[in-house]
Structure formats: structure tokens, C-alpha cells
Amino acid sequence: MSAPLDPRLARALARSSPSGGWFLHGDAVRLRDEAAQQLVDAALDPATRDFNYDQFQSEAVTGEQLASTLAMPPMMAERRVVFVRDAERLGAGVRAVLKQAAEALPSDIALIVTATIPKGSRAAFYRDLKKSCRTLEWSSPRPAEVPGWIRDRARRRWGLDLSPGAAQWIAGAVGPDLSILDAELEKLSRLPADRRTEADIKALVPRTHRIDRWTWLDLVASRKYGRALRELDDVLTSERGVGLVAGLVEHHLLLGLALDGGSPALRAVLSETGRGYLSWKADAYARQARAWTVDELDHALRALHRADRHLKSGRPDPAVLADLLLALGQTGGAAG
């Protein structure tokens, strides 16, 4: 099954031709590289591909090779395509050649560069590429967004219509690595249509713990503190306390937005802030918000802030989270 054109890339190509410089970066490497290959295919004439396509692995290319290739005109085609992979591994000399070329590319060259920018890097090389090239970024979704990413990817890439429960199950079983998740979705896409139910998926994608982080967060947001407390030890087999508290903070903030404007307003905010992978859960946030008042949410956020301080001071995760649930329960949450 061929991959549909990546939405970011489709929007960029709708605005301009494939010629010129392109800088594709981000830590979602599988998606980024898939889009880069789609860009290569969009820029090349299949009939003259062998004459007009050069791909370089960063560890193997020299400055002289790159400069010579970029100086060559296309042969019997509109453009030549030069693809430099993993630019973070380039040496200083090759980086200088690439930077200079990207700033003054001929109109019949498409230069495609991919990189994973090291966290916290302030290297001028990446800033310069962003200035001289059309730049697109692929970032891994945050933990709260992983099930939404799974549902979106399953539908767009593999033709799978996954329920929210199935997506959360897969996320809890496989973890956040997008390459592994995508490989799992590919396997599921080969199942006969009548074997793609949520029950079938749970049987085919086993996991070692009973409850996932998203279900546990929903228990707390629904004020089912007694059950959340009973499930605490199990969820802590796969999650850290700091991550759970951070997830609860975000969850309660979203409850506040839903309480103020309902699911339509929440979807609009999520879309405007680039958190579209959470939109699928907007109705659930709105339902949960009905159990809260503004004052109660304010109390909960203060309790979460205290829990975060306690965790970062070294107190054990189970004790801090148990105390948190007891404190939240004092505002009138359900015991069960």
C-alpha cells in the first residue's frame, strides 16, 4: 500500500514547485524520511531518474563531491535532485559547501536535506539552512497525543479505522517509538476486515500491564479516585510519577477549556495551538468537565503543583500519587 502524500509536504508543494532548497528535520525520523522520499519522487521525472538523481549519506560524502554534483545541470529533464541525508553527521567542510550552495541554488536544482537537530543545539549551520531553504519539521507527539497520532496514522497510511480504545491499547502495549508503532499498524492492516475489532487487536497486541496511562488519567479526570488509587501500582509499572503528574496537569487544563466553551471551543483551541492529535478526545474532555467547577479545577491544579514539587524533591512515586488522589478526593470526587 503506497503512502499518501504527507499533509505538510502536500501543503508546501501546493504553494511552490519542488525546485530549490528543502530542509526537513525533526525527531520523528520515519515520517520525515518518508516525506523526503515523496519529495524526491515529486521532483524527479521518472523517465530520466537515473541521470538526474544523486543521494548522499553524510558519513560518505566529501565537499568536492557535493560541490561537483550541485554544479551539474539536469540531463533531458526540468531539474536535478540532490538528496543529503542526516546532515547532523556532516563534517565542517561539507557543511560549508552545503550552506553556500543552499544560498544560491540554480533554478533547475532541487536540494533536499534531512537532519535530526541535536537537542539544545545553537549551531549556525541549522539556522542558515532554515533561512535559505523551505523548512518542514516532524516532531514526535507528546505522550498525551500518542493515541491520537496512532488513529490518524492508521487511517491515513494503512486504511485502518481504529477505535479510541484500540489506539490507547496499542500505545500502552508498544510505547511511543513511532517506527515501532508504524510497523505494528502495518501488520494490523494485513488482517482481514472482519478481524480488526478492538477485541481482536487487544488479543494480537499483548501488553504486560493492566491499565495504560491514558485510561488512568481518565479515571482521575472523571473523579473516580478510589479506582485510580487501586490501579496506581499497576500504572506505575510502565509510567513514572513525574510523567503522570504532567499528564494530569495538561488534562485538567483541557477540562477547564472544555468547561468554558464545550468540545467545539476545545477543538478550535487544539487546532490553533498545533495539538490536533488531541482533538479526537474533545468530546470525552467535555463529558468529564461536567463533573467539575472552576474552583474545583483550581484546587486540583494547586494539588498537582504540590505533587510535582514532592516528586522532584525525591519522595517515592507511589506515596506522592496516593497522597495526591486523597487530596483530590476531599473536593467531593467519587469514591469508586
Side-chain angles (χ1 to χ4, degrees), residues 26-336:
D27 60 354
V29 175
R30 184 183 182 99
L31 306 185
R32 182 199 71 197
D33 289 354
E34 182 179 271
Q37 191 57 56
Q38 291 177 338
L39 179 55
V40 168
D41 294 340
L44 280 170
D45 178 354
T48 61
R49 182 185 183 103
D50 291 344
F51 301 106
N52 293 301
Y53 179 45
D54 293 277
Q55 176 179 268
F56 296 107
Q57 294 291 342
S58 293
E59 299 93 334
V61 66
T62 66
E64 291 77 12
Q65 287 175 313
L66 184 58
S68 174
T69 301
L70 288 167
M72 293 173 59
M75 183 179 296
M76 300 179 293
E78 183 179 351
R79 68 181 66 85
R80 169 179 290 281
V81 177
V82 180
F83 183 11
V84 180
R85 291 182 174 272
D86 304 319
E88 71 275 10
R89 301 175 187 170
L90 290 171
V94 188
R95 286 189 178 195
V97 171
L98 183 62
K99 173 184 175 297
Q100 185 176 8
E103 290 172 349
L105 281 173
S107 60
D108 55 6
I109 293 289
L111 171 63
I112 302 167
V113 182
T114 62
T116 302
I117 300 175
K119 189 174 182 179
S121 173
R122 297 183 180 180
F125 173 64
Y126 303 115
R127 293 198 304 272
D128 292 338
L129 283 179
K130 289 178 181 181
K131 288 178 183 177
S132 57
C133 300
R134 279 160 291 184
T135 300
L136 302 174
E137 180 178 5
W138 281 262
S139 297
S140 295
R142 296 171 303 104
E145 299 173 323
V146 172
W149 180 90
I150 291 171
R151 293 190 78 208
D152 182 75
R153 179 69 173 175
R155 178 177 55 82
R156 289 180 183 273
R157 176 67 178 90
W158 302 111
L160 289 168
D161 185 15
L162 295 180
S163 68
Q168 288 189 183
W169 180 274
I170 293 168
V174 178
D177 187 295
L178 300 192
S179 294
I180 301 175
L181 284 169
D182 204 35
E184 198 66 44
L185 294 175
E186 182 179 8
K187 286 191 287 185
L188 293 175
S189 72
R190 298 179 187 140
L191 293 173
D194 61 353
R195 291 193 58 209
R196 296 178 181 178
T197 68
E198 188 170 322
D200 290 326
I201 289 170
K202 287 182 177 181
L204 290 166
V205 187
R207 67 185 190 193
T208 58
H209 48 282
R210 185 173 57 250
I211 189 168
D212 56 65
R213 67 174 281 130
W214 303 277
T215 302
W216 191 82
L217 296 181
D218 283 336
L219 288 176
V220 179
S222 300
R223 312 190 76 171
K224 297 177 181 178
Y225 300 125
R227 186 179 167 197
L229 186 58
R230 292 193 295 274
E231 299 285 7
L232 181 57
D233 287 343
D234 190 68
V235 77
L236 285 174
T237 64
S238 59
E239 301 289 337
R240 295 183 61 232
V242 170
L244 291 174
V245 168
L248 285 172
V249 169
E250 179 178 37
H251 202 122
H252 283 71
L253 290 172
L254 292 171
L255 291 180
L257 291 171
L259 185 63
D260 184 54
S263 56
L266 181 55
R267 282 196 181 89
V269 170
L270 292 172
S271 177
E272 290 169 4
T273 57
R275 297 183 177 183
Y277 288 136
L278 286 174
S279 294
W280 65 277
K281 204 169 180 179
D283 290 340
Y285 290 130
R287 285 194 302 272
Q288 292 166 2
R290 296 182 196 129
W292 293 86
T293 67
V294 172
D295 287 342
E296 288 168 342
L297 284 172
D298 184 63
H299 169 84
L301 287 168
R302 289 199 303 270
L304 286 164
H305 180 61
R306 288 194 300 272
D308 183 65
R309 290 203 315 270
H310 290 321
L311 287 169
K312 291 175 179 175
S313 70
R315 284 191 63 195
D317 289 7
V320 172
L321 288 169
D323 287 348
L324 170 66
L325 293 172
L326 292 172
L328 293 174
Q330 291 174 0
T331 62

